[in-house]
Amino acid sequence: MWFTMKNICTFLVTFFVLSISLFGWTKGSFIRSDFISNPYNDEEIVFTGTNSQSYELSACKFDINTGNSVFKEISLPNSSTIRDVIINGNSKRIGYLLNGKIVIFNYNDFSEIINFSLNYSGDSQDMKVCFSKDGSFVYTLKKSELRLTIYDVSSGLKQNEILINANPAFYSGVFLNSEKDEFALMINDSLEIWSISSGSMDRKIPFDSNAKLVQFRNSGNNISYKVGKVIHIVNSLTGDEIFNKTLSFNIQSMEFSANMKYMVCRGEYFDQSVWDIDSDTLIFDGSVPYQSGFDIDFVYINSNKTKTIGFSRELMYCGRYLDDPYQENVYFLYNMSDYWKINSASDGYVGNPVHAIINPTNDLMLVSALYGEYNTPVYNHGLVTGAGEFLKFIHVQRNALAFSHDSKYIAFNDTTRLLLYNIESDIIEKTLQTQRSTLGTVFFSPQNGGLIISITKDYIDVYDYNTLTLNFTKDLAAESGNGYGYVCDITGKITILYPSGRYFKFDAGTGDLTEEILNNLPQNRTFRDMTNDGRYILWSFGKDSLVVYDAKLQNIKFSYKIDLISGYAENLQIGFLGNHEIVWISYITNPIDKYNAFYAYDLVKNDGITMDGEVTPRVSIDGTKYMTFYCPFTYSYNSIRLPVSVSEVYPIGNSIMTYPNPATDFITIQFQTSEVLETSEVYKIHIFDMLGIKKMSVGTGLDLSSQRIDISHLPAGVYFIRFGDKVEKFVKY
């Protein structure tokens, strides 16, 4: 173990909320690292500590060269009593030392190997523990008794003991050299090194009795230590000095690359330096301010001095529950050339996530955090796959607007310019310079080979995606008052709604702007949201009522009265969750603890459910996915069911009935009508699963009295039948 921050302490209690989807992932956590170990190479840096989300004991294997990591929660009998952590790179084993017990895992997949009792007690000055060179044994060395005990890992049984016949008071320190299966005893100005296999002293070498931070290094061939502000490296066979360096600060920790070519030293108050040992030259000195406003403390450098591990003191403050701002040390992998973040331990931490954009195919997300003062915002972005795999940090300190329609670029707002960042090459490859004082909301469309659309309440500008030239501009006579809104679908069709109820359609491919007159509009309405196709409009009335208006049929599709937990309802927010049948609602319940109520209501299923997060969800272009955020570090990606109802008029009665329910092989759908249609059109009955995925469709023919459907091929589960705007649920056994 080469760096210890603190002892693992009492775990805190957190809470969880359910997601509206049946599946999804949650990311953004980090390890509150209590122990970090370097097992002989740069591909297996192991962190262990508590998970920031669950507060459970977790571990992470980190590859410093690639930035890849393996993360898993660890189950221990009583993890609050962890005394130490040991590691062995040859056998890929990590051991957690409890009071009188050790639990050993394989750190490649963190599967448990064995746990057994041992005589481990006392503090770190009195008791040392390590694996043997091949990981087959565990050694415990107790200074107060001068006793070394050997345990077999495969059986957990004590194999042997070596007891030194001497007065323990004569010795000022004890050390283990697991690479050579040796132990060392410090006495006066020398170090006695004993062979574990023979149980006898092998050699005595000169040594400074004032040495601190003593560690065997370089396959056990060297010993590093510090005396005051001086660092020493000596030969463990002869005691001959190999390297010494006097630093300008008091040394708290030091670490060496796996090949012993480079050294990282840390002191107090951001004192630190990185050295090339071979050439005895300084690589880096001082502190590195990062965009969060705090400095980076480096703790490890790789074997070719291109990457380093360090921690940044991230400020975590959400302004709720009367909490005070606090700091966490979050570990990141950095480029040594520019100190930009590559990844974090454990899975792509983006602190204080406030925003996200989703690409058109729903397989990439950009999660954004906001730092800095209000008038000088600085953004930090993480690129994540739809499966939850963190890819990399994006180093553009601007507000992210959208993915391009082909997902090759991310568009960033630079006031009067649109910056197009190439995801693959990691550079700003194109810049769209506008003639406007500010950029509007930006959309991308594949129409005509690719379009970039910028829209505000005053204008619409359409640019050619490939040439970055202006195709045309359209001025808008915006109205005053609340309720102005606009949406754009992937085809470049834009819908614009004014407070008066004026409703416009704009085609970005042709530049055509047409107005449609809406009738039967509700009175005293407040605009909240529109679906991406512009067909459905969500209005609220006061704090507890809302309606969904169908702009095509020009009538009310749904109405809903919100059951507010609190009558206070500060910062009430409402919107569509993907489709017109689901709305999300968020509000602060009272001004004291600032508790956030965040839930969704399904207008078709007549059911509400608590959602992850606490701020406006970000919905994908096709309305099937959404992201939510929970300050200070969590972001979630979830699925939204497809609509199960439509609003077309079908010549049937008020309801349909399905029987038997539950069913096994067949169901019969009974329509509340005996009408036989006088048309040749065949109507369809559609069956969807719980995720809104269509499983089958059946034509009714002209007789709408009843329909018998074979469902024997469907898996057991809950399904929805849709016919026109009628929906019925049934269970398949």
Side-chain angles (χ1 to χ4, degrees):
M1 176 175 53
W2 55 265
F3 182 72
T4 302
M5 288 177 56
K6 55 187 177 180
N7 293 326
I8 294 180
C9 58
T10 306
F11 294 106
L12 303 177
V13 178
T14 188
F15 64 90
F16 64 92
V17 292
L18 298 175
S19 166
I20 192 170
S21 70
L22 297 182
F23 63 91
W25 55 256
T26 300
K27 287 288 180 181
S29 68
F30 59 92
I31 289 182
R32 293 183 170 93
S33 186
D34 302 292
F35 299 93
I36 312 173
S37 297
N38 169 30
Y40 319 108
N41 61 66
D42 295 331
E43 291 77 35
E44 296 167 336
I45 310 297
V46 178
F47 295 74
T48 187
T50 55
N51 183 357
S52 64
Q53 286 187 22
S54 65
Y55 296 90
E56 296 294 331
L57 181 67
S58 302
C60 173
K61 185 183 74 170
F62 203 61
D63 187 328
I64 194 173
N65 293 323
T66 65
N68 297 331
S69 64
V70 177
F71 171 78
K72 191 172 182 180
E73 290 189 347
I74 300 293
S75 178
L76 292 179
N78 187 359
S79 55
S80 64
T81 63
I82 290 178
R83 308 295 298 276
D84 206 346
V85 177
I86 61 175
I87 197 162
N88 179 266
N90 293 322
S91 62
K92 317 301 181 189
R93 290 175 176 174
I94 181 171
Y96 290 89
L97 295 155
L98 312 177
N99 286 332
K101 192 179 187 69
I102 184 170
V103 186
I104 299 174
F105 295 83
N106 181 313
Y107 67 64
N108 277 331
D109 59 6
F110 298 106
S111 58
E112 184 175 333
I113 297 172
I114 193 173
N115 66 82
F116 53 87
S117 299
L118 43 67
N119 66 340
Y120 182 74
S121 61
D123 58 29
S124 60
Q125 299 301 314
D126 186 46
M127 180 70 84
K128 304 293 183 182
V129 184
C130 76
F131 285 106
S132 63
K133 181 176 181 178
D134 63 2
S136 300
F137 301 97
V138 169
Y139 304 140
T140 65
L141 178 59
K142 194 173 180 70
K143 174 185 174 293
S144 60
E145 300 174 0
L146 294 182
R147 180 192 303 271
L148 183 130
T149 308
I150 304 172
Y151 297 88
D152 180 79
V153 170
S154 61
S155 65
L157 299 177
K158 183 168 71 174
Q159 296 294 299
N160 195 12
E161 282 191 340
I162 299 173
L163 184 62
I164 307 301
N165 187 19
N167 187 345
F170 294 160
Y171 296 91
S172 57
V174 297
F175 312 98
L176 281 160
N177 184 0
S178 62
E179 280 294 283
K180 292 186 177 297
D181 292 331
E182 297 175 334
F183 65 93
L185 308 176
M186 186 185 296
I187 181 169
N188 298 325
D189 290 329
S190 62
L191 202 64
E192 296 179 359
I193 301 181
W194 292 61
S195 168
I196 293 176
S197 60
S198 66
S200 60
M201 187 172 70
D202 180 77
R203 61 195 181 276
K204 181 182 286 190
I205 63 173
F207 205 70
D208 196 319
S209 60
N210 296 310
K212 305 293 183 183
L213 304 179
V214 180
Q215 289 257 358
F216 284 91
R217 308 277 186 177
N218 191 25
S219 299
N221 294 324
N222 304 137
I223 303 173
S224 67
Y225 63 93
K226 70 129 183 178
V227 178
K229 297 181 180 181
V230 184
I231 291 175
H232 299 269
I233 302 176
V234 300
N235 187 300
S236 67
L237 295 177
T238 64
D240 294 339
E241 188 158 79
I242 300 170
F243 175 84
N244 75 78
K245 179 58 59 180
T246 301
L247 301 184
S248 61
F249 53 83
N250 292 318
I251 303 161
Q252 286 192 325
S253 68
M254 56 187 178
E255 189 46 52
F256 301 86
S257 61
N259 58 5
M260 286 296 291
K261 288 187 175 182
Y262 309 105
M263 175 178 67
V264 176
C265 302
R266 292 185 58 250
E268 295 180 318
Y269 309 112
F270 308 110
D271 291 324
Q272 58 184 327
S273 61
V274 182
W275 288 86
D276 185 320
I277 295 175
D278 284 354
S279 62
D280 191 16
T281 57
L282 181 68
I283 300 172
F284 167 81
D285 188 30
S287 62
V288 178
Y290 197 62
Q291 63 253 45
S292 62
F294 298 101
D295 294 315
I296 304 169
D297 277 17
F298 295 129
V299 295
Y300 184 74
I301 184 172
N302 68 343
S303 294
N304 60 10
K305 65 175 181 182
T306 60
K307 297 181 177 68
T308 181
I309 292 176
F311 62 87
S312 174
R313 291 167 178 84
E314 301 284 310
L315 180 65
M316 298 185 178
Y317 176 64
C318 305
R320 58 169 183 262
Y321 313 131
L322 301 179
D323 57 355
D324 295 321
Y326 70 99
Q327 296 178 19
E328 283 279 8
N329 292 339
V330 183
Y331 286 83
F332 296 97
L333 176 62
Y334 297 90
N335 273 323
M336 235 355 233
S337 58
D338 54 16
Y339 310 116
W340 279 109
K341 295 177 182 177
I342 300 172
N343 201 350
S344 69
S346 59
D347 56 13
Y349 164 81
V350 180
N352 297 324
V354 296
H355 183 62
I357 55 176
I358 305 171
N359 77 331
T361 52
N362 298 337
D363 55 7
L364 284 177
M365 277 71 62
L366 189 75
V367 183
S368 302
L370 181 61
Y371 296 100
E373 301 296 333
Y374 178 76
N375 58 347
T376 56
V378 176
Y379 291 88
N380 183 27
H381 311 281
L383 191 66
V384 185
T385 71
E389 176 189 2
F390 177 84
L391 296 177
K392 57 187 174 182
F393 288 103
I394 302 297
H395 301 140
V396 181
Q397 296 181 348
R398 300 288 190 273
N399 182 27
L401 299 178
F403 282 91
S404 62
H405 63 275
D406 54 13
S407 296
K408 291 182 180 179
Y409 297 95
I410 299 171
F412 291 92
N413 189 339
D414 192 31
T415 310
T416 62
R417 301 185 303 166
L418 188 70
L419 308 179
L420 294 179
Y421 177 93
N422 188 305
I423 297 172
E424 184 175 345
S425 62
D426 289 327
I427 61 172
I428 296 174
E429 190 173 280
K430 301 179 180 181
T431 300
L432 173 63
Q433 181 67 56
T434 70
Q435 302 302 312
R436 308 286 184 175
S437 58
T438 59
L439 273 171
T441 301
V442 172
F443 302 98
F444 285 81
S445 169
Q447 241 183 334
N448 302 336
L451 302 174
I452 303 174
I453 307 156
S454 175
I455 179 172
T456 71
K457 64 179 181 179
D458 300 313
Y459 68 85
I460 302 175
D461 290 339
V462 180
Y463 296 87
D464 185 283
Y465 171 73
N466 298 295
T467 63
L468 301 182
T469 56
L470 182 66
N471 284 357
F472 46 79
T473 184
K474 185 75 66 173
D475 291 328
L476 300 175
E479 298 180 358
S480 61
N482 296 324
Y484 176 83
Y486 44 82
V487 292
C488 180
D489 65 18
I490 191 64
T491 67
K493 302 296 192 300
I494 296 174
T495 304
I496 306 162
L497 177 70
Y498 288 110
S500 64
R502 295 180 68 194
Y503 184 79
F504 290 85
K505 292 285 188 177
F506 177 78
D507 189 323
T510 63
D512 294 334
L513 180 68
T514 58
E515 182 177 3
E516 299 180 16
I517 304 300
L518 299 183
N519 299 305
N520 304 316
L521 293 177
Q523 300 298 313
N524 303 317
R525 58 192 180 269
T526 299
F527 171 77
R528 292 295 185 172
D529 201 1
M530 274 192 295
T531 53
N532 275 358
D533 60 2
R535 173 168 177 175
Y536 295 96
I537 305 167
L538 183 64
W539 277 301
S540 67
F541 304 87
K543 287 186 175 181
D544 62 354
S545 297
L546 58 87
V547 298
V548 176
Y549 176 86
D550 186 333
K552 182 176 182 179
L553 300 182
Q554 301 198 9
N555 59 22
I556 302 299
K557 174 66 176 176
F558 297 108
S559 61
Y560 175 60
K561 188 175 180 63
I562 306 170
D563 184 14
L564 298 174
I565 299 174
S566 165
Y568 186 78
E570 181 187 14
N571 298 331
L572 181 68
Q573 300 180 69
I574 301 171
F576 281 121
L577 192 64
N579 69 68
H580 65 285
E581 299 172 349
I582 307 173
V583 296
W584 63 269
I585 301 157
S586 172
Y587 61 92
I588 303 297
T589 57
N590 63 70
I592 305 300
D593 62 16
K594 299 289 184 180
Y595 173 76
N596 181 269
F598 191 47
Y599 62 97
Y601 190 81
D602 193 313
L603 300 165
V604 170
K605 299 179 182 179
N606 195 29
D607 186 30
I609 191 169
T610 303
M611 293 176 63
D612 293 324
E614 58 182 351
V615 298
T616 303
R618 310 299 175 182
V619 180
S620 62
I621 297 172
D622 64 3
T624 64
K625 307 285 184 180
Y626 74 97
M627 293 196 74
T628 55
F629 316 97
Y630 189 84
C631 181
F633 41 70
T634 303
Y635 50 93
S636 301
Y637 186 55
N638 301 274
S639 292
I640 308 171
R641 69 160 179 80
L642 296 175
V644 296
S645 71
V646 297
S647 298
E648 307 298 341
V649 177
Y650 281 74
I652 61 174
N654 295 324
S655 67
I656 58 176
M657 182 174 63
T658 302
Y659 62 89
N661 190 3
T664 54
D665 297 322
F666 292 90
I667 58 171
T668 297
I669 301 176
Q670 185 74 47
F671 303 103
Q672 194 182 47
T673 181
S674 58
E675 179 180 9
V676 177
L677 299 180
E678 297 180 359
T679 176
S680 60
E681 182 176 0
V682 176
Y683 291 94
K684 292 282 190 179
I685 298 170
H686 304 287
I687 296 180
F688 297 83
D689 65 12
M690 283 290 290
L691 297 178
I693 299 173
K694 186 187 294 184
K695 309 304 291 187
M696 59 183 298
S697 296
V698 178
T700 64
L702 300 181
D703 187 355
L704 287 184
S705 57
S706 66
Q707 187 78 31
R708 191 168 186 260
I709 301 175
D710 182 0
I711 60 167
S712 60
H713 63 287
L714 295 177
V718 178
Y719 294 89
F720 291 91
I721 298 169
R722 188 188 77 188
F723 183 75
D725 60 355
K726 306 301 186 292
V727 176
E728 181 77 10
K729 181 170 71 173
F730 75 91
V731 177
K732 164 67 164 53
Y733 278 168

